[in-house]
Amino acid sequence: MAQNALLEIKDLMTHFHLQEGIVRAVDGVSFEIRRGRTLGIIGESGCGKSVTAHSILRLVPSPPGNIVNGQILLRRGDNASDQKPVDLARLDPRGGEIRSIRGAEISMVFQEPMTSFGPMHTIGNQIMESILLHQSHVAASDARELAIENLRRVGIPRAEQIVDAYPHQLSGGMRQRAMIAMALSCSPRLLIADEPTTALDVTIQAQILELLTALQEEFGMAVMFITHNLGVIAEVADEVAVMYLGRIVEQSDVNELFDNPQHPYTQGLLNSIPHIDEEKLPRLRAIEGVVPDPYEIPGGCAFSDRCPSFMPGTCDRAMPGLAETSPGHRVRCYLHSDVEDELTEVTDGR
Amino acid sequence: MAVENNLLLEVNDLKMYFPIQKGLMKRTTGYVKAVDGVSLSIKKGETLGLVGESGCGKTTTGRCIVRVYRPTDGEIIFHIDGEEVHLNRLERQELKAFRRNMQMIFQDPFSSLNPRMTVLELVGEPLLAHGIARGQELEDRVAEMVNAVGLRVEHLPRYPHSFSGGQRQRIGIARALVQRPKLVVCDEPVSALDVSVQSQVVNLLQDLQSELDLTYLFVAHDMSVVRQVSNRIAVMYVGKLVEVAESEELLRNPRHPYSETLLSAVPRPNPHHAMQRLSLEGEPADPANAPPGCVFHPRCRYMEDICQTEVPALNELSPGHHVACHFADQLQLQGIDSASPSGS
C-alpha cells in the first residue's frame, strides 16, 4: 500500500447469485484513493460503480450478493501510515468494526436524498444520531449545536430553524445539502458520493459541486465520486476510472483521460455527447448497440460486440488485462496489449 | 403575433392555474400558476426547444398544447390544411378526432408503457383507437414503424419488460409516430437513458423528423441536448418565458440573466475549462406565491429597483430574439464561446 493511500482495493469481485444465474456486478476491480484526492468513477447503468461503493461500506445485501474475492484495505486513524490497514472485505457486515467505520471514517451521499433520510425524524435528529453514535466525547446537549453548525457549513439558511424540519419540508437541493451535512458531521476521511447531483437541476448541481470542492479543500478528505456525467467528472475528479460491465477499462488522471482517451469505449462516450462549447455537429456520433444483459456478456473483451475497432480472432478470445500505456494511464484493450500474453496467462493459471 | 403561412402552432397568452384546495369543503385557497402568460409559435418542420428547471412549467406547457390539460386561459391555434383549429375551444369528441395530429413522447420509458401489452398492441393501439387501420393493414403499418425506429419485426410479440431503457423509448416513439402526427411534444425524451443510448435516441428523433416531416416541441433541461436538436430555444422560468431566440444566437449571445446563468451551470466535459461559473443564489420562486415584478429578481445579480415592482414584457430586441428583462439592451452577458475552445 502506497504511503499516501487511504483506501486500496485489490481485485475486488462482488457477485450476485440469483436464480437466473450469477451476475458478476464487480469482477476484478483494483484502485486506490489517496488522501485529500478525488477519484471519479464513470460508467453507465449496470457497470458496477454503485456496487463497488456499497462493497466498500459492506452494504451489499447478502444473500444474494457476496464479495467472492479481493481486498478492501483501509488505513484507519490519523497518523497511521505504519499501522496495518484493515481489510474491510473480511469484516462482518453487521459487526462492530464496520459500524465504527461507516459514517465516521467513510460516509456516503446518495443520489436521492428523499430516500436516504428517514421521513419520520427531523433532519436535526438524524444528524445528531450520527454525531452521538460516533463521537463519544460529545454530550447530548451539545449535539444539537453541532448539527446546526454542520447545516450552516453546507450553506443552509436559517439553520437553527431547518434543524427541526422534516425531510419532506425541504426542496431537493436543500435536502441534498442536509445529506452532505450529515455525511460530513463526523469529519470522515473518505466521502463516497454516488450520483449526488443527478436528481438536481443544473443550477443547484453547480452549487452542490462547488460546495463539495470547498469542503474537500477545507477538511482534506478524499472523495470517491460516482457519476455517469462526463461534465461533472471533468470538474471534480483528480483521477478517473472508467467502468464497463464490472471492470475498469481505463484509468488515468483527469487531464490525460480527456485529452488522450485510449479505450474505444471512453472515446465513444466522449464523442457521443454534445459539447456545448464546440461547433454543433449535424449528428451525434453514437456508440452502436446497447449494454448487454448481465447473462449475455460476450466472451473475450466485454465491449467487443459494440467496439468500432473490434479485431476478430483477437478481441473475442480472452479478456484483455489492464496495460500501462504511459505512467499512470492504464487501458484494458488489445490495441494496447497482446492477446497472446493473456492466453498464456490463462494456460499458466491452470 | 402575425399569422404566417408556414406556422403550425400558435400559443397566445397561455395560462394554466392549478387550484390549491384545503380542508373538508375543498375550498380553493390559492392557485399554483404553473404557466402564466406564455406566447410562442412553432413553424412547420422546426424544433422549438423549451428549457428550464424543474417546476418552471415547461412540462405543463407541453401538456396544455396537446390538451392533456384544459388551459385556464389563452389561445392554442393549430394551422392544418389552410384552416385554423382553436384547440383550447375543442370539446371531447372533436378533440379525440384531432388528437392524431399531435402526440407526446414521455420521459420515463418504464412507466409510460403498459406492461401487459405486447409491442404490436402498444404500437397498434393508436391506429385502432382512431379507426385508421385494422387487421393485416395494422400489422403492416406497425411493422413499418417498428423498423423505422430501429427495432425488428421479431420484437412485435414481446412485452416491454424484455427491452432495455433505450429500446423501450423506441417503442414509445413508434407508438407516438405511427399515426403520422404533425406535432410531437417530446417531454425529456432522453434524460432517463444511459449516456451512450441518449445520443442514439437523439439521432433517431432527428432522422424521423426529416423522414416523416415532423414538428417538435422539445421539452428538456439539458442545454447541450436541446441545442443539438432545436432550431430555436425558449427559456422558461417560474411559469413565464424569459427569452426566445434562434438556438445558436441564444447560446452565444444570451440577453436574459437567467439564460446566462443556466448556460454557465452546464458542466463541461473538459477539465481545462476555465470559464467563471456564475453561481445562482437561492432557489426558484414558488409558482403559488411568485414575487412581484420580474419573477427572477430575487436571484438576479443585476437587480434594480424597477425589477421589484414592474413585470418586464417579452420584447423583440433584435429580429427573432425576444427577451423579458428591463435591462436586456444594456447588460453585457456571457454566452458559450465555441470560436476559441479553451485548451491547456
Side-chain angles (χ1 to χ4, degrees):
Chain A
M1 206 168 174
Q3 196 53 237
N4 52 358
L6 175 69
L7 181 89
E8 184 175 8
I9 292 187
K10 288 183 182 168
D11 203 24
L12 177 71
M13 295 189 189
T14 305
H15 293 178
F16 289 81
H17 298 265
L18 304 175
Q19 258 175 359
E20 296 86 350
I22 299 173
V23 175
R24 300 166 194 274
V26 177
D27 205 21
V29 163
S30 305
F31 59 77
E32 63 175 36
I33 301 178
R34 285 176 280 164
R35 290 175 202 280
R37 306 274 283 176
T38 300
L39 173 73
I41 307 240
I42 193 149
E44 299 181 274
S45 50
C47 75
K49 52 194 196 300
S50 293
V51 176
T52 305
H54 290 155
S55 300
I56 295 173
L57 284 171
R58 301 303 308 279
L59 294 172
V60 176
S62 172
N66 275 311
I67 296 181
V68 296
N69 186 42
Q71 292 178 299
I72 304 170
L73 302 173
L74 172 75
R75 205 162 258 160
R76 299 195 67 176
D78 276 327
N79 306 306
S81 44
D82 37 57
Q83 198 184 315
K84 206 172 170 316
V86 193
D87 185 359
L88 304 183
R90 300 201 179 280
L91 299 182
D92 174 6
R94 290 183 187 81
E97 187 158 15
I98 189 76
R99 295 174 94 165
S100 72
I101 291 171
R102 274 185 212 140
E105 292 188 50
I106 306 178
S107 57
M108 188 154 174
V109 177
F110 298 88
Q111 173 172 354
E112 217 334 296
M114 195 63 198
T115 53
S116 37
F117 271 119
M120 305 293 283
H121 300 276
T122 61
I123 302 272
N125 279 339
Q126 298 186 54
I127 297 176
M128 280 152 64
E129 182 190 5
S130 159
I131 293 173
L132 291 171
L133 190 66
H134 294 296
Q135 303 181 19
S136 45
H137 60 275
V138 176
S141 51
D142 298 336
R144 188 183 157 85
E145 273 311 303
L146 267 177
I148 295 174
E149 179 57 38
N150 272 304
L151 289 173
R152 206 171 277 140
R153 213 165 60 181
V154 297
I156 288 183
R158 299 178 291 113
E160 53 290 333
Q161 288 162 31
I162 297 292
V163 74
D164 292 321
Y166 287 89
H168 74 267
Q169 293 172 307
L170 302 186
S171 67
M174 280 299 149
R175 272 202 294 268
Q176 198 56 292
R177 281 172 192 265
M179 186 77 226
I180 293 171
M182 182 158 88
L184 298 186
S185 61
C186 299
S187 313
R189 270 192 299 283
L190 173 63
L191 178 73
I192 300 177
D194 188 359
E195 305 260 14
T197 59
T198 306
L200 305 175
D201 278 319
V202 277
T203 60
I204 311 292
Q205 167 171 284
Q207 293 174 1
I208 298 285
L209 292 181
E210 259 165 43
L211 171 72
L212 276 174
T213 316
L215 291 171
Q216 184 178 18
E217 264 168 39
E218 193 180 339
F219 300 100
M221 64 188 172
V223 176
M224 175 175 159
F225 199 104
I226 300 172
T227 179
H228 66 274
N229 188 321
L230 290 154
V232 170
I233 229 61
E235 189 162 320
V236 299
D238 299 308
E239 268 195 87
V240 183
V242 183
M243 286 186 75
Y244 188 74
L245 287 172
R247 291 169 198 260
I248 292 177
V249 295
E250 183 162 6
Q251 193 172 9
S252 92
D253 88 81
V254 66
N255 291 337
E256 168 79 4
L257 189 97
F258 280 86
D259 294 344
N260 184 23
Q262 296 188 332
H263 196 284
Y265 178 61
T266 316
Q267 294 168 348
L269 280 182
L270 280 168
N271 282 333
S272 70
I273 54 170
H275 293 251
I276 203 163
D277 285 321
E278 291 169 16
E279 283 302 320
K280 178 171 149 181
L281 300 167
R283 270 175 77 84
L284 295 177
R285 293 164 295 193
I287 302 179
E288 293 291 314
V290 293
V291 179
D293 192 83
Y295 306 112
E296 292 166 8
I297 297 177
C301 171
F303 187 60
S304 57
D305 64 332
R306 305 175 71 191
C307 183
S309 317
F310 173 65
M311 297 174 285
T314 302
C315 300
D316 44 6
R317 283 170 77 188
M319 171 63 76
L322 268 178
E324 191 154 43
T325 56
S326 63
H329 193 160
R330 287 191 286 273
V331 186
R332 189 187 288 281
C333 179
Y334 289 128
L335 294 171
H336 304 281
S337 64
D338 191 353
V339 67
E340 299 304 330
D341 298 348
E342 295 299 325
L343 289 172
T344 39
E345 263 176 50
V346 172
T347 338
D348 290 350
R350 278 175 196 159
Chain B
M1 239 174 256
V3 182
E4 290 167 38
N5 277 335
N6 58 350
L7 274 187
L8 181 74
L9 184 85
E10 264 182 284
V11 174
N12 293 325
D13 205 20
L14 182 72
K15 289 180 181 152
M16 185 71 223
Y17 295 174
F18 295 100
I20 305 169
Q21 292 170 329
K22 283 225 174 97
L24 200 61
M25 306 301 287
K26 293 270 158 86
R27 255 180 330 114
T28 300
T29 54
Y31 290 93
V32 174
K33 299 181 176 179
V35 180
D36 196 14
V38 163
S39 300
L40 51 84
S41 61
I42 310 180
K43 297 192 203 83
K44 282 198 183 82
E46 89 166 338
T47 301
L48 177 69
L50 185 58
V51 294
E53 296 181 272
S54 49
C56 74
K58 57 189 193 300
T59 294
T60 307
T61 305
R63 292 189 173 176
C64 285
I65 288 173
V66 297
R67 278 296 310 274
V68 174
Y69 298 138
R70 174 185 284 272
T72 310
D73 196 14
E75 275 189 315
I76 305 166
I77 305 166
F78 204 103
H79 296 263
I80 185 166
D81 306 328
E83 284 180 48
E84 289 185 4
V85 179
H86 289 253
L87 287 181
N88 48 304
R89 293 185 206 151
L90 289 189
E91 291 306 324
R92 228 183 142 77
Q93 282 305 316
E94 300 166 296
L95 193 61
K96 190 188 165 196
F98 196 78
R99 279 248 154 82
R100 57 182 294 192
N101 294 308
M102 44 186 200
Q103 286 296 316
M104 201 155 174
I105 295 170
F106 298 94
Q107 170 173 7
D108 184 357
F110 293 87
S111 61
S112 57
L113 299 175
N114 186 339
R116 288 163 172 258
M117 289 167 84
T118 63
V119 174
L120 175 65
E121 288 165 342
L122 282 165
V123 179
E125 192 183 29
L127 294 176
L128 274 180
H130 289 288
I132 299 170
R134 56 196 300 178
Q136 190 58 43
E137 194 199 342
L138 180 125
E139 280 193 36
D140 291 345
R141 288 189 64 164
V142 170
E144 186 194 343
M145 196 64 233
V146 160
N147 279 323
V149 298
L151 296 171
R152 293 194 304 275
V153 183
E154 302 94 272
H155 291 138
L156 288 179
R158 296 206 203 151
Y159 290 90
H161 71 85
S162 59
F163 294 94
S164 68
Q167 286 173 316
R168 284 186 218 205
Q169 196 57 299
R170 288 171 195 266
I171 300 171
I173 293 170
R175 184 174 151 92
L177 302 188
V178 70
Q179 45 200 319
R180 298 294 155 87
K182 304 275 188 295
L183 175 75
V184 182
V185 174
C186 310
D187 189 4
E188 300 268 15
V190 301
S191 51
L193 305 176
D194 265 327
V195 188
S196 72
V197 180
Q198 279 196 4
S199 43
Q200 293 174 357
V201 173
V202 166
N203 283 344
L204 175 68
L205 287 171
Q206 287 188 299
D207 293 344
L208 291 169
Q209 177 166 38
S210 50
E211 269 168 49
L212 304 176
D213 205 14
L214 302 169
T215 304
Y216 288 148
L217 176 67
F218 197 95
V219 178
H221 70 278
D222 184 334
M223 267 289 194
S224 14
V225 171
V226 168
R227 176 218 195 182
Q228 182 64 33
V229 297
S230 305
N231 304 96
R232 290 186 302 134
I233 295 178
V235 181
M236 199 164 174
Y237 186 78
V238 193
K240 289 183 156 61
L241 292 186
V242 297
E243 186 164 4
V244 186
E246 297 284 330
S247 57
E248 291 303 297
E249 161 76 5
L250 189 125
L251 265 69
R252 282 160 207 268
N253 190 15
R255 306 298 289 268
H256 194 283
Y258 179 63
S259 314
E260 180 190 37
T261 332
L262 213 51
L263 284 169
S264 97
V266 176
R268 310 299 209 270
N270 173 3
H272 309 295
H273 182 77
M275 192 175 86
Q276 188 60 46
R277 158 94 31 97
L278 307 168
S279 56
L280 197 54
E281 296 295 316
E283 307 204 348
D286 177 3
N289 189 16
C294 171
V295 279
F296 187 60
H297 86 255
R299 302 175 83 191
C300 184
R301 54 176 52 227
Y302 309 103
M303 197 261 293
E304 306 263 350
D305 288 345
I306 184 174
C307 306
Q308 300 178 35
T309 50
E310 276 182 49
V311 181
L314 191 67
N315 290 323
E316 188 159 12
L317 214 62
S318 57
H321 198 150
H322 302 259
V323 190
C325 173
H326 293 298
F327 300 98
D329 50 350
Q330 295 166 32
L331 297 173
Q332 290 294 317
L333 304 179
Q334 187 182 12
I336 60 159
D337 189 3
S338 50
S340 58
S342 47
S344 48

